[in-house]
Every structure is written in C-alpha cells, then in structure tokens.
Amino acid sequence: MTLIRRLDRILFKSVSILAQLFLVAAVAAGFWQVIARFVLEAPADWSEVLTRALLIWTVLLGVALAFRQGMMLGVELLRNLLGTFYRRWLDLLVSLICAGFLGFLAWIGGQMTWRVRFQTVPSLDISISWVYIAIPIGATLAAIAVLARLGDSAETPALRNDAQG
C-alpha cells in the first residue's frame, strides 16, 4: 500500500470517527434538553445550541465521507449513454467542477470564520468561529475526497450497474 493510500485511509477513518462522535454527542445533548425541560422542569440553555453546532459539524464531515465513498446523489442517464472513453472525460469534468465549487466554499467559509472570530455563542461562551470553521474544514475535506475518488476511478475500471438493465 502506498503512502498516499495509507494517508487517505487514515484521514477519512479519522473523519468518520469524529463525525460519529459528534453525532452521539448531539444526540446526548438533545436528550439532556428533553430531560431537563420536561422531567426536571429547568431547561438547559446550552444544550440546544450545542446540539445545533454538533449537527453542523456532523453534516459537513459526513459530506466529505459521502464524496469519498461515491455516495452522493447523481443522475446516471448521460453517463450510461456514453462510451467508456467519454464516460471517463465526463467523470473528470464533474469531479473538477465539484472540487472547484468545494474549494470556493472553503474559501468563502474561511472568510466568514475570520469575520465572526470575535463573536461568542452566549450560552456556550465560546467563539462562534468554532461553529463556522466547520464550513472550510468540511469543504476542504470534501474536495480532497472528490480528488481522491477521481484518482481511484482512474486506476480501477467502472462497474456496471445491473439494476439499470
């Protein structure tokens, strides 16, 4: 196994573990909110904000994982009509457009994060930039995933989807 493949595997395994931990933490914070509000009759003001922030992180990390596994929604009509040579060119074009968009999203997200760095989340008493930074990190990881997926598809032949006849 090459060094790049090993780094790819370690990176996206770490992203997967982190996304899962954030999702579990979001569920725990949401559960605490329900218990505090309806059982203890003393709602916790921090749990809703924490749940929202953790879900934002989970979604943006999950998008990177979905891109890496090739699980994003796609329309296969044009791809199935093309021959192998043109299909590879279409895959390259779509991958470059996706990576370009994700790079742009990372750049804009980085600017947004920089702009809000002095604002705080009142109930958590942390900078809101910790929430906003999920955008450039998630978009950068997703762009890396798109390019890694493109590298994988160049090495292995495409499998036929028999469900489409």
Side-chain angles (χ1 to χ4, degrees):
M1 179 184 293
T2 66
L3 178 63
I4 292 176
R5 284 192 189 276
R6 189 172 292 140
L7 290 174
D8 173 54
R9 177 185 257 146
I10 291 169
L11 174 65
F12 286 101
K13 184 70 168 175
S14 301
V15 169
S16 175
I17 290 168
L18 194 59
Q20 292 173 44
L21 289 173
F22 284 167
L23 185 59
V24 168
V27 168
F31 181 71
W32 175 252
Q33 175 68 9
V34 170
I35 296 298
R37 179 174 302 236
F38 296 110
V39 176
L40 302 176
E41 295 181 2
D45 60 343
W46 58 268
S47 60
E48 182 181 345
V49 176
L50 180 63
T51 301
R52 188 178 314 130
L54 289 170
L55 287 176
I56 289 168
W57 269 96
T58 302
V59 166
L60 286 162
L61 293 176
V63 165
L65 293 171
F67 268 117
R68 183 62 187 103
Q69 297 299 320
M71 304 302 282
M72 295 301 286
L73 181 64
V75 179
E76 298 289 321
L77 178 66
L78 177 61
R79 191 172 190 279
N80 289 338
L81 292 174
L82 298 174
T84 305
F85 176 77
Y86 292 112
R87 187 176 297 150
R88 289 185 189 214
W89 278 104
L90 179 65
D91 289 344
L92 176 66
L93 178 65
V94 169
S95 295
L96 291 177
I97 290 171
C98 286
F101 172 76
L102 291 164
F104 178 71
L105 184 63
W107 181 63
I108 294 295
Q111 287 184 334
M112 288 172 47
T113 302
W114 182 256
R115 268 188 235 131
V116 300
R117 68 190 182 278
F118 298 117
Q119 296 178 15
T120 60
V121 179
S123 56
L124 296 178
D125 200 30
I126 61 169
S127 172
I128 200 167
S129 64
W130 286 106
V131 178
Y132 275 76
I133 203 166
I135 299 169
I137 290 174
T140 301
L141 288 169
I144 292 169
V146 167
L147 297 175
R149 184 86 179 152
L150 181 63
D152 285 351
S153 69
E155 294 175 4
T156 57
L159 297 176
R160 177 169 164 69
N161 185 355
D162 289 331
Q164 295 176 351

